Amino acid sequence: MNTQVEIVTIGDELLIGQVVDTNSAWMGQQLNLAGFTVNRITSVSDNKHEILSILKETTERSAIVLVTGGLGPTRDDITKKCLCEFFNTRLILNQDVLADIQCFLKGRVTHINPLNHDQALVPEKCTIIRNPIGTAPIMWFNSNSGVVVSMPGVPSEMKRAMEIEIIPRLKKTFINQAILHKTIHIFNIPEAVLAEKLTHWEDNIPSDIKVAYLPSPGKIRLRLTGKGADSVFLQNHINKAINDLYPIIGENIYGFDNEPVEASILKLLSNQKSTLSCAESCSGGYMAHLLTSIAGASQVFKGSVVAYANEIKTGLLGVSNTDIETFGAVSCQVVEQMALGACKTFNTDYAIATSGIAGPSGGTEEKPVGTVWIAWAANGKVISQKFQFGNNRERTILRTAETGLILLKQFIENNKI
Amino acid sequence: MNTQVEIVTIGDELLIGQVVDTNSAWMGQQLNLAGFTVNRITSVSDNKHEILSILKETTERSAIVLVTGGLGPTRDDITKKCLCEFFNTRLILNQDVLADIQCFLKGRVTHINPLNHDQALVPEKCTIIRNPIGTAPIMWFNSNSGVVVSMPGVPSEMKRAMEIEIIPRLKKTFINQAILHKTIHIFNIPEAVLAEKLTHWEDNIPSDIKVAYLPSPGKIRLRLTGKGADSVFLQNHINKAINDLYPIIGENIYGFDNEPVEASILKLLSNQKSTLSCAESCSGGYMAHLLTSIAGASQVFKGSVVAYANEIKTGLLGVSNTDIETFGAVSCQVVEQMALGACKTFNTDYAIATSGIAGPSGGTEEKPVGTVWIAWAANGKVISQKFQFGNNRERTILRTAETGLILLKQFIENNKI
C-alpha cells in the first residue's frame, strides 16, 4: 500500500524566518516511526493562490497530505476557506466544536467574540476531530486520491492531535504490519569507528530488522527498526541484536529510546535516595540547567556553584590556591578538588565538577581551546578525565555538561565510583 | 524586477526528522532583510527523481532558487550530479577548488582520499564560489529563467556563503533601491496593548517605512523597514520614528537589532568596570548559562550559586532561616537576601537573584505555579519584583532568566539601582 506522506506547513512567519518550522521534523520523526515515508515538506505563505496550488500538487503526488497552520481566528488565517474551495464544499456551524471553544475559552476571555465563534464553522464534507487544548478543530478529508488532514500550527495542539488521533487512524488505514523500534544511545566513539566495529554484527542481524545511524555532536543514536507480521518475533530479534551489541561496544552505551541522560541520572539517584551537586567552571551553569529542566529535580539535585572566578573555587569549594597557581585552573588537581568541595559544600552524595577552556581566547599550546577536565566525586573518592572538545564555544559547553552526566551514570552503574 | 526566491533543502535527514531545517528560516530572514520575498520552502530527499523534479518546478515558478545540502563526499550526496543533468553539462576538475580542499583538510586527515578529491569536480557551465571553511564549493548557475545557487547544508558554510557572496551578488542583480532596517526590542507589554498604544504613532509614520510586530514569549520585536531611493532620507525617517516611540513606550524598550540582552549587560558592566554574580533558585543555572555563553563573560561575571536546596540559601548566601520558615522560599524577603548574599559571597558590584515555582508541582492558592520573585542588588541596596509566568516549566525558567537580565539593564541605565 502507498504510505507516502507529504507535509505542508502554512504561514508567512515561516517564509520570513520569524519562526523555525520545527513541526515538520517532529512529524517526520513520528511518521517514520509509525512506518510511513515522508517524501516532501513544503512551506507556503497565507496566500489563497499558494495554498490552492500546493493542495493540488500534493494530492496529485501523494496519498496522505498533512497540513498545519493557518487556522487561527484572525483575517490572515485562510486555510479553512481554501480547503472548502479545494474540496468544493461549504462552511457549516458545528455545535460540538462551538461547545469545545466555549469550554476552552472559559475563564480566559470575558466573552466569545465573533472571530472565535466563526472557528466553529467547519467544512461540510470533512470529518471533524475535536481539539480540547485550542480553538481550531482538526479537519480530516477523504478524497479519491487519499487523505488530507488539516491541523493547527501550534506545536502542542499539532502534537496531541498527531499522537492521539491522526497517526493511529492513518496506521489503521494504511499500515498492515507490526513496526517496532529501539534506539540505543552511544557515546565517545566516532561514527566511522563504530560502523567498522559493528560490521560483523550488522551482517548477522535478521533481515526483518534495519539499522540506522543517527549522529549528533559527541553522540550517536543507533536505531533498530523491525517490520513484519509478528510483533513477538520482531521483539525477540531486536532483543537479541541488543544483547549481541554489549560484548562489542557495551562501555559506549549509555541509554535507550527518548529519555535524556539528565532524566536517567535523576531517576537513578532518586531510586538510590542519593543527592547530587555540581561545581561548574567552563560548563557555566548549563549542567545545572539541564538537571533543573526536569520536573522534580529538587528531590535529588541540591544545587551548583558556577565558579567562573578562581577566588570562588577557593572560597566556596575549598580548592587550594597553591594548586591553582601551580597547575592552573584547568587541571586534574583543581577539578578534583572542586568535585570534592561541592560534595562538602552542598552535603551531597555525588558531585560533578568541570573546568576547561571554552574559548575563543585563553588557549595555550599545552592547553588549547577545547581542553576540558571533568571530575566525579562520591563518598570522599574522586576520579577525573581530560577531554578535547574542539574550538566551538557553544559546543564545548554543551558537550562538557552532557559528558559529565553520561559518565556519572556509567560510573554508578558499573560501580566505578 | 522579480525578486521572488524559492529555497530548496535537500537531505533524507530532514524528511525523517533527524535534523530540523534551521537553514531555511535563517535564509528567509536574511533574504527578507535584503529586500527579497521567499515564496516557498521545499525539503526533498537525496533522490535523483525528487531533486530533478524540484529543480524543474522551482525554476519555472521563481527567478531565484537557492539550494542547500547534498554536496558531501559520500555516495548518498547526489545534488551535484543532478545539477549537471538538469543544466545539461558535465563535471570538470577545478584546480582552485582542489587547492582549497587540500588546504582545508591539511592537518585533519593523513591524505586526501578519492571521495574528497572528487569534490573538486564541478559542473562546467557554472560559476564557482570558493568555500574556505569546508570541502564543497558553491555553484552559481545562470539560466534563461534566472539564477540557481547550490551551497552546502552545513549551517556555518551556508551562512558564510550567503552573507559574503550570495546575498551581495543577488542584491546587485535584482535590487535597485536602498533598504534599511531597525529592530526595537520591547518587553513587558502584551501585543494587543502595544498595538493599541501605537495606533497614532503608526498612522504618522512616513509611507516609505513599514512596521512589523514579531512577538515571542514575554517580548515583542518591532521591526522598521525603509525602502526607497535615498538611504540618508530613509535613515532620518527611521530615527524620527524611534525618537517618537520613547514618550509612548520608552520604559518597555530594552535593546536594538541583534544583540541579546546578556551581551548588552556584559558590555555595559565591562564599560563601567563592574562585576556581576547570580543566586538562582527557579532559574536553575539558566541565567549563568546565558551569560557564560558570551565569549569574554569572565571579565564581568564571577559566578552563580544555584541554590535549589534551602540549606544552600542559608549556608552560601546568608539567607535567614527564620525568614524562609516565615515567608517561604518564594518571597520578597528571601530573594532580596539572596541577591545581597550573592554580592557578598562573590564580592561583586551587582547581583541578580531568582526564586519561584517553576512547577508542575509545588504551587499553592496563594503562590500558584509560575509565581517568581526576582531581586537586583548593588552597593548594599536591593529591589525586587514579583512576576507570574504561567504553568509551563521550560518557559518560566527562560522568562525568569531573561527578565532578570533585561530589568538589570534598565535599572542601571535609569539609575534606579
Side-chain angles (χ1 to χ4, degrees), chain A residues 4 7 14-22 24-30 32 38-45 50 53-54 57 61 213-215 221 223 280-298 301-309 311-312 316 345-347 359-361 393 397, chain B residues 4 7 14-22 24-30 32 38-45 50 53-54 57 61 213-215 221 223 280-298 301-309 311-312 316 345-347 359-361 393 397:
Chain A
Q4 293 234 323
I7 297 172
L14 301 169
L15 298 167
I16 63 167
Q18 188 195 329
V19 169
V20 173
D21 173 18
T22 54
S24 294
W26 186 91
M27 292 166 79
Q29 225 169 49
Q30 300 305 312
N32 195 246
V38 175
N39 65 329
R40 202 182 270 208
I41 299 166
T42 312
S43 300
V44 298
S45 64
E50 286 291 332
S53 296
I54 197 70
E57 294 167 37
R61 270 192 308 252
Y213 289 73
L214 313 174
R221 283 170 298 156
R223 195 174 71 199
E280 303 186 63
S281 185
C282 74
S283 56
Y286 191 62
M287 202 184 288
H289 171 58
L290 288 179
L291 290 163
T292 56
S293 295
I294 308 293
S298 58
F301 182 64
K302 294 298 160 199
S304 177
V305 168
V306 180
Y308 240 49
E311 62 263 34
I312 303 307
L316 292 194
T345 299
F346 288 98
N347 190 26
S361 64
R393 183 180 179 89
I397 292 171
Chain B
Q4 292 233 324
I7 297 171
L14 301 169
L15 297 166
I16 64 167
Q18 187 195 331
V19 168
V20 174
D21 174 18
T22 55
S24 295
W26 187 91
M27 291 166 80
Q29 225 171 48
Q30 300 304 313
N32 196 245
V38 176
N39 65 328
R40 202 182 270 207
I41 299 166
T42 312
S43 300
V44 299
S45 65
E50 285 291 331
S53 296
I54 196 70
E57 293 167 36
R61 271 192 306 252
Y213 287 73
L214 313 175
R221 283 168 299 155
R223 195 174 72 201
E280 303 186 63
S281 185
C282 74
S283 55
Y286 191 62
M287 202 185 287
H289 171 59
L290 288 179
L291 290 163
T292 58
S293 295
I294 307 294
S298 57
F301 182 64
K302 295 297 160 199
S304 177
V305 168
V306 180
Y308 239 50
E311 61 265 33
I312 302 307
L316 293 192
T345 300
F346 289 97
N347 189 27
S361 65
R393 183 180 179 89
I397 292 172

Side-chain angles (χ1 to χ4, degrees), chain A residues 71-91:
Chain A
L71 299 180
T74 52
R75 253 194 322 195
D76 51 328
D77 286 315
I78 57 169
T79 302
K80 194 165 65 179
K81 278 187 190 155
C82 294
L83 284 164
C84 272
E85 185 166 332
F86 183 74
F87 285 107
N88 194 20
T89 181
R90 61 182 183 128
L91 292 173

Side-chain angles (χ1 to χ4, degrees), chain A residues 33 180-186 214 220-224 235 238-239 242 253-261 264 409:
Chain A
L33 290 174
L180 292 181
H181 301 276
K182 189 79 185 175
T183 303
I184 303 125
H185 297 259
I186 295 166
L214 313 174
I220 297 162
R221 283 170 298 156
L222 201 66
R223 195 174 71 199
L224 304 184
Q235 189 63 63
I238 287 178
N239 292 346
I242 292 174
I253 295 174
Y254 73 91
F256 292 96
D257 295 331
N258 290 321
E259 189 170 77
V261 64
S264 313
K409 181 162 180 267

Side-chain angles (χ1 to χ4, degrees), chain A residues 112-236:
Chain A
I112 309 284
N113 72 20
L115 292 175
N116 283 131
H117 184 272
D118 285 356
Q119 292 194 281
L121 295 172
V122 300
E124 192 171 16
K125 268 193 204 163
C126 76
T127 306
I128 288 299
I129 297 174
R130 290 159 74 175
N131 173 15
I133 60 169
T135 53
I138 291 93
M139 297 169 279
W140 177 294
F141 296 86
N142 286 308
S143 72
N144 302 336
S145 58
V147 168
V148 175
V149 187
S150 161
M151 62 198 110
V154 181
S156 56
E157 298 177 37
M158 177 280 288
K159 287 179 186 176
R160 185 188 179 281
M162 283 289 287
E163 280 175 341
I164 301 184
E165 303 277 1
I166 299 166
I167 290 184
R169 287 174 192 227
L170 290 175
K171 271 172 104 165
K172 220 167 150 185
T173 317
F174 293 92
I175 304 275
N176 46 17
Q177 60 182 346
I179 297 173
L180 292 181
H181 301 276
K182 189 79 185 175
T183 303
I184 303 125
H185 297 259
I186 295 166
F187 156 77
N188 216 10
I189 184 168
E191 188 182 359
V193 178
L194 181 65
E196 207 177 340
K197 279 196 173 189
L198 296 186
T199 312
H200 182 70
W201 173 82
E202 282 197 63
D203 288 344
N204 284 293
I205 281 181
S207 63
D208 54 0
I209 308 290
K210 300 276 174 247
V211 180
Y213 289 73
L214 313 174
S216 57
K219 302 179 295 186
I220 297 162
R221 283 170 298 156
L222 201 66
R223 195 174 71 199
L224 304 184
T225 301
K227 291 189 188 184
D230 183 342
S231 65
V232 177
F233 206 67
L234 288 175
Q235 189 63 63
N236 288 340

